[in-house]
Amino acid sequence: MLAWASSIDVGATDTDTAVYMILPMDDLTESQPQPGSNSPEMTVSELAGALKRTVEENYGFVRVRGELGRVVLAKSGHLYFDIKDEGATLNTIMWKGSAGKLSFKPEEGLEVVAEGRLSTYPGRSNYQMIAERMRPAGVGALMQLLEERKKKLAAEGLFAAERKKPLPFLPAVIGVVTSPTGAVIRDILHRVRDRFPVHVIIWPALVQGERAAAEVEAGIRGFNALTPGGPIPRPDVIIVARGGGSIEDLWPFNEERVVRAAAESVIPLISAVGHETDTTLIDYASDRRAPTPTGAAEMALPVRADLLATLATLGARLERRTVAGFEKRRLQLQSAAGRLPKPDALLARARQRLDLASERFGGSLSRMLSRKRARFDQAGGGLRPATLLREIAGRRGEVTRLAERLAPAMDRRLRRAQDALNQQARVLQSVSYERVLARGFALVTRADGALVRSAAGVADGDALRLRFADGEVTAMAGAAGPVAPRPETAPVAEQRQRPRILRRTRPEDDQGNLF
């Protein structure tokens, strides 16, 4: 009897290659020490190896059901996670080769069924499961997860009808995200050739497995990232296609990253995942859902033969309507032309008037020229230099005689005006107030020039200006005591204290104002 013993270090992350050693069961049994004082001593490594062999022999294949917890995907591609229930937790490892074959993305809280074998890790004195296969615990669990994700994305508005974009009537380029080796792409290309051959660009992507969601998302976003008019044509419509399968097989198209990429696509997108009865979340986020990949090609393209037939029918109808319209207009034109008078009849009378006017115009022009020439000759005969000189001499004599008579008259007129002006000046001087001031009177005004007409209008302390015939002086009203008589001859000091007479020059024609 033989037993398999694994020598792999389960803590390593740089290899998933396992090396096994075959040991006979009889040797193992005989080498085990018997209880007693003479039992051989074992090292820790020997004990750990014995335990490892015992666990792996008795649990070479196990199937465990539980809830996922602490899911960690290492950079090496190995998957580390816990499978737990209400009473225990089992550390589990899935090597890179097995993890890449998963048809769904392990998430914490998902109930799964894992198959593999038990082993131990001597470095930490614990046991663990090395899983080779894993699937969700049942359709019910996946459907519950699917329903929760659907509600979450719908609440964000990713499935709203107003986000849907119309498909182009006749796209020039179709982008297809699918596996390039499956039957799906062949069905799509065959239907495109049958309906309306156009340019098809394929974005290769896995449609099943753990990497399928990332590659489908990359295909959708990659087509949208193409520049219009660039070296690679940008598709007018995108088809995401896959054949039928179980819910586990179609699970990548329920991933949130794929659904968001479909909802954010600027290019109209058709989802053709599974058969007509299969429904995934990308169907809700896409602009149109096709029951099959072949149906997606039918949605994207019209039938070329039908278009040609429709075009021929419409062209024939247009030709018939055009011919009928021209015929109708021709008949209307002929009917209207029959009621119009002949052009010769319309122009006959005008032509006759033109002929008569032409005849009269020739004679009238000759006669008019004769009259103008006669008047010109008559006027030109009188324009001789001697005649002009005599006319100029006569006019000059008349001007000289008028100038001789005009000079004495102007002198007499100026003398009369000068006499009248002198008389008015004498009258103005006789009534001037300055003659009154020359007789010893004074003109009293205030400092601002206002005339003082009576003593009642003057208050003590008012500044006054007294204007005499030979100038002005200033005075202050209200001086106390009688004014002493002015002596005939005042001392020199008193004469220096006499108020200074302010003289103001004025134009000769300034008569002033007594009042």
Side-chain angles (χ1 to χ4, degrees):
M1 186 174 179
L2 302 177
W4 293 83
S6 174
S7 62
I8 186 173
D9 184 0
V10 297
T13 59
D14 57 348
T15 179
D16 55 356
T17 302
V19 180
Y20 297 92
M21 179 176 59
I22 301 176
L23 296 175
M25 289 294 296
D26 295 339
D27 296 343
L28 293 175
T29 303
E30 292 176 359
S31 62
Q32 292 179 356
Q34 299 296 324
S37 59
N38 295 326
S39 298
E41 296 179 353
M42 300 178 62
T43 64
V44 176
S45 298
E46 291 174 347
L47 179 60
L51 289 174
K52 182 180 182 66
R53 290 191 295 271
T54 301
V55 172
E56 290 179 349
E57 289 171 3
N58 291 278
Y59 299 96
F61 176 81
V62 294
R63 181 182 290 116
V64 181
R65 177 169 182 162
E67 182 180 330
L68 290 180
R70 193 189 60 84
V71 180
V72 178
L73 180 62
K75 294 181 179 180
S76 61
H78 306 322
L79 187 64
Y80 298 88
F81 55 92
D82 295 335
I83 301 177
K84 61 182 180 179
D85 58 11
E86 63 277 5
T89 300
L90 175 62
N91 295 335
T92 308
I93 303 174
M94 180 172 282
W95 304 124
K96 178 181 179 181
S98 300
K101 298 178 182 179
L102 291 176
S103 60
F104 68 100
K105 181 180 180 180
E107 297 179 356
E108 186 174 352
L110 182 64
E111 188 175 6
V112 297
V113 175
E115 297 177 357
R117 56 188 176 85
L118 290 185
S119 181
T120 62
Y121 180 41
R124 295 183 180 177
S125 299
N126 61 355
Y127 71 96
Q128 58 191 6
M129 178 180 181
I130 300 176
E132 298 177 356
R133 289 175 296 276
M134 185 170 61
R135 60 179 175 82
V139 177
L142 284 181
M143 293 304 295
Q144 181 179 0
L145 178 62
L146 179 64
E147 190 63 26
E148 292 176 357
R149 186 173 295 171
K150 178 181 177 182
K151 290 180 181 179
K152 172 189 173 183
L153 297 177
E156 296 181 15
L158 299 185
F159 305 154
E162 55 270 16
R163 295 174 59 96
K164 309 295 182 182
K165 297 176 286 296
L167 300 180
F169 175 71
L170 186 58
V173 180
I174 297 178
V176 182
V177 180
T178 188
S179 173
T181 59
V184 171
I185 188 61
R186 292 195 295 271
D187 294 341
I188 293 176
L189 294 177
H190 178 72
R191 186 49 56 98
V192 168
R193 284 193 297 268
D194 290 344
R195 293 179 70 85
F196 204 110
V198 295
H199 192 180
V200 177
I201 300 178
I202 302 173
W203 191 290
L206 293 176
V207 292
Q208 184 175 341
E210 184 181 5
R211 294 188 302 166
E215 294 190 6
V216 171
E217 178 195 13
I220 297 174
R221 298 193 184 276
F223 276 136
N224 281 272
L226 293 176
T227 304
I232 301 178
R234 190 170 189 258
D236 300 316
V237 66
I238 298 175
I239 297 176
V240 179
R242 187 205 186 281
S246 63
I247 185 173
E248 292 86 356
D249 297 336
L250 302 180
W251 192 256
F253 300 93
N254 293 320
E255 294 291 346
E256 185 173 339
R257 61 193 304 175
V258 175
V259 177
R260 292 188 182 277
E264 296 170 3
S265 175
V266 179
I267 303 174
L269 188 142
I270 302 175
S271 65
V273 178
H275 299 299
E276 187 170 0
T277 57
D278 297 326
T279 303
T280 55
L281 294 184
I282 193 176
D283 296 332
Y284 298 101
S286 62
D287 299 303
R288 292 287 295 275
R289 176 186 181 271
T292 59
T294 303
E298 295 175 354
M299 285 183 180
L301 291 170
V303 180
R304 184 174 182 271
D306 294 344
L307 290 179
L308 292 176
T310 303
L311 184 61
T313 302
L314 294 177
R317 291 176 57 187
L318 178 61
E319 183 179 359
R320 290 194 299 269
R321 293 295 300 271
T322 303
V323 172
F326 279 129
E327 184 65 22
K328 180 179 179 181
R329 299 297 187 276
R330 188 180 64 82
L331 294 176
Q332 291 176 352
L333 181 60
Q334 290 179 351
S335 177
R339 294 191 295 269
L340 292 175
K342 300 298 182 182
D344 293 339
L346 292 174
L347 299 177
R349 183 173 299 178
R351 187 181 294 112
Q352 184 178 5
R353 290 198 304 269
L354 179 61
D355 294 339
L356 294 175
S358 299
E359 294 176 359
R360 290 197 302 268
F361 180 72
S364 300
L365 182 60
S366 299
R367 290 190 296 272
M368 183 182 66
L369 289 176
S370 299
R371 288 195 303 270
K372 297 296 183 182
R373 185 177 292 108
R375 290 178 61 185
F376 179 76
D377 293 340
Q378 182 181 0
L383 296 176
R384 294 181 174 85
T387 305
L388 291 176
L389 291 175
R390 287 194 299 272
E391 183 71 20
I392 292 173
R395 296 298 181 183
R396 185 181 289 112
E398 291 180 2
V399 172
T400 303
R401 288 191 297 272
L402 288 175
E404 291 175 355
R405 288 184 297 175
L406 183 60
M410 289 296 293
D411 292 339
R412 290 192 297 272
R413 182 67 178 269
L414 289 175
R415 284 195 299 270
R416 285 197 298 271
Q418 184 66 37
D419 294 342
L421 180 60
N422 293 334
Q423 184 179 359
Q424 294 295 332
R426 287 192 297 271
V427 173
L428 181 61
Q429 187 177 6
S430 64
V431 298
S432 175
Y433 74 96
E434 291 184 351
R435 297 177 66 89
V436 179
L437 296 180
R439 295 199 299 269
F441 294 94
L443 179 64
V444 182
T445 60
R446 297 183 185 277
D448 57 358
L451 183 64
V452 178
R453 299 179 180 274
S454 64
V458 179
D460 293 344
D462 288 349
L464 302 176
R465 296 169 60 185
L466 305 180
R467 181 174 179 180
F468 299 93
D470 56 351
E472 291 183 359
V473 296
T474 57
M476 182 71 68
V483 180
R486 183 175 181 181
E488 294 293 336
T489 303
V492 177
E494 292 181 2
Q495 291 181 0
R496 292 180 181 175
Q497 297 179 358
R498 291 175 58 188
R500 186 176 59 179
I501 298 175
L502 301 178
R503 298 185 182 273
R504 183 178 61 180
T505 60
R506 54 186 175 81
E508 295 181 356
D509 56 349
D510 185 7
Q511 301 298 324
N513 189 358
L514 181 60
F515 304 100

